[in-house]
Amino acid sequence: MEEIYKPIWVSIIGNVLLAVLKLIVGFLYSSIALISDGVHSLSDVVTSVIGYAGIKISSKPPDKSHPFGHSRFEPLVAFLIGEALIVVSYEIGRDSLMRLLQGETIEVNGLMLAVTVVSILAKDLMFRYSVHVGKRLNSQILIADAYHHRSDVLSSVAVLIGLGAQKLGFQHGDSLAGLVVSVFLVKVALEIILENVGYLTGKAPSFEVCEEIKKRALGVSNVLGVHDLRAHYVGSKLHVELHIEVPPELSLKEAHDISEEVKRRIEEIPEVERAFVHVDIKGVTE
């Protein structure tokens, strides 16, 4: 199995097990908090399946309908996961507010607290694993899915605080904690959405990446200058176009070989998928 798919499968299997555990205990003791947290975990299964499909599609080679590949599908799916986080945050906030207004109470026991702690620890491990692999492979889907795990951690922490507070006699602890979590989730979701809107609309790379591209081009022998550098994201990968200047005494083959070496060096940058190099003769005006 390719490494990029492993966090997705861990997410699917882990969320199914946690959802079943929380739903069984929640229905057994009529805990609205655990039931809603279990449904939240089931919703993560759906987004992980969507993420798996997104990675599969984005890794397809170029074809007639998508001559530059399918990499834009990855930020598109990540964008949709961000939208799902908005929905989850709304539901948590709404349910928390309703509990607060209606003054609902539950009877808390040690098993309910233990299930919540297990959920927090398991989801935190899943978050760390997914975000580690996602950043190393520059996969926006894995990173977005990782923050969905973080949302589960936060919602479970809210449940734990609420259950603990109610056990100590404070009736509205779960509701207030849920409202705080929903606000945080909106912030995370907006960050994911805005980041991937940039990838979908072909944003330019950072100044540092552009300088690295120039440095690599100028490091090739007989490259006298670089100009008209343009780069934009196609999905999570960069397409780069630039002009290099070479001495007029070079042969056509020598100039071609230089452009190929520049292309090779630029495409060694992890973020760069393709480089298009144009050769100009130094001192000759086009």
Side-chain angles (χ1 to χ4, degrees):
M1 183 188 296
E2 292 182 38
E3 185 177 11
I4 194 169
Y5 296 113
K6 291 179 181 178
I8 296 291
W9 280 112
V10 169
S11 175
I12 292 172
I13 295 171
N15 279 316
V16 168
L17 294 175
L18 288 173
V20 170
L21 181 62
K22 285 185 275 191
L23 287 172
I24 289 175
V25 176
F27 280 113
L28 187 62
Y29 296 103
S30 301
S31 170
I32 296 176
L34 278 177
I35 292 172
S36 62
D37 206 30
V39 173
H40 186 186
S41 293
L42 282 179
S43 73
D44 281 354
V45 177
V46 176
T47 58
S48 292
V49 170
I50 293 173
Y52 180 86
I55 292 173
K56 275 286 189 183
I57 295 171
S58 64
S59 62
K60 289 173 60 178
D63 53 31
K64 288 184 179 180
S65 61
H66 297 85
F68 288 95
H70 300 76
S71 57
R72 278 199 176 99
F73 281 93
E74 183 171 343
L76 175 61
V77 173
F79 174 86
L80 294 176
I81 291 175
E83 295 284 348
L85 276 175
I86 291 283
V87 174
V88 170
S89 64
Y90 164 76
E91 290 176 347
I92 291 175
R94 180 198 61 195
D95 291 346
S96 299
L97 186 61
M98 290 299 296
R99 291 178 196 149
L100 185 64
L101 294 176
Q102 295 174 4
E104 295 182 13
T105 60
I106 56 175
E107 186 177 346
V108 178
N109 58 45
L111 178 60
M112 296 162 65
L113 294 172
V115 167
T116 307
V117 171
V118 168
S119 176
I120 292 170
L121 295 176
K123 294 298 291 186
D124 187 64
L125 289 174
M126 291 161 68
F127 164 76
R128 293 176 186 276
Y129 178 48
S130 290
V131 82
H132 171 73
V133 177
K135 287 183 177 179
R136 186 156 56 79
L137 300 180
N138 194 30
S139 171
Q140 296 305 310
I141 288 179
L142 288 184
I143 293 171
D145 198 48
Y147 280 99
H148 218 146
H149 294 321
R150 175 53 61 87
S151 78
D152 257 6
V153 172
L154 293 173
S155 65
S156 294
V157 167
V159 171
L160 182 63
I161 292 173
L163 294 176
Q166 294 219 181
K167 191 170 181 64
L168 295 174
F170 181 61
Q171 295 184 358
H172 305 300
D174 59 336
S175 303
L176 294 175
L179 287 174
V180 172
V181 171
S182 66
V183 172
F184 182 84
L185 285 179
V186 169
K187 176 180 178 296
V188 172
L190 289 177
E191 289 173 352
I192 292 174
I193 289 170
L194 292 175
E195 174 75 13
N196 287 282
V197 163
Y199 288 134
L200 288 169
T201 55
K203 72 173 182 177
S206 66
F207 173 80
E208 290 76 17
V209 172
C210 291
E211 288 301 302
E212 178 64 20
I213 292 170
K214 292 179 183 178
K215 179 181 176 181
R216 292 194 179 217
L218 291 170
V220 176
S221 179
N222 281 320
V223 174
L224 305 178
V226 175
H227 61 93
D228 291 341
L229 169 62
R230 295 189 299 175
H232 68 103
Y233 282 95
V234 178
S236 59
K237 294 293 185 180
L238 280 172
H239 283 198
V240 178
E241 180 181 354
L242 76 160
H243 290 243
I244 60 172
E245 297 176 347
V246 301
E249 64 270 16
L250 295 181
S251 67
L252 182 60
K253 181 181 183 308
E254 288 172 326
H256 176 267
D257 289 344
I258 290 171
S259 71
E260 286 298 304
E261 178 62 16
V262 170
K263 172 182 169 69
R264 185 189 68 80
R265 293 194 184 189
I266 292 174
E267 288 180 350
E268 286 179 346
I269 299 173
E271 286 185 76
V272 176
E273 182 178 57
R274 293 190 184 188
F276 304 90
V277 182
H278 304 274
V279 180
D280 296 337
I281 306 301
K282 182 70 172 179
V284 178
T285 304
E286 295 185 358

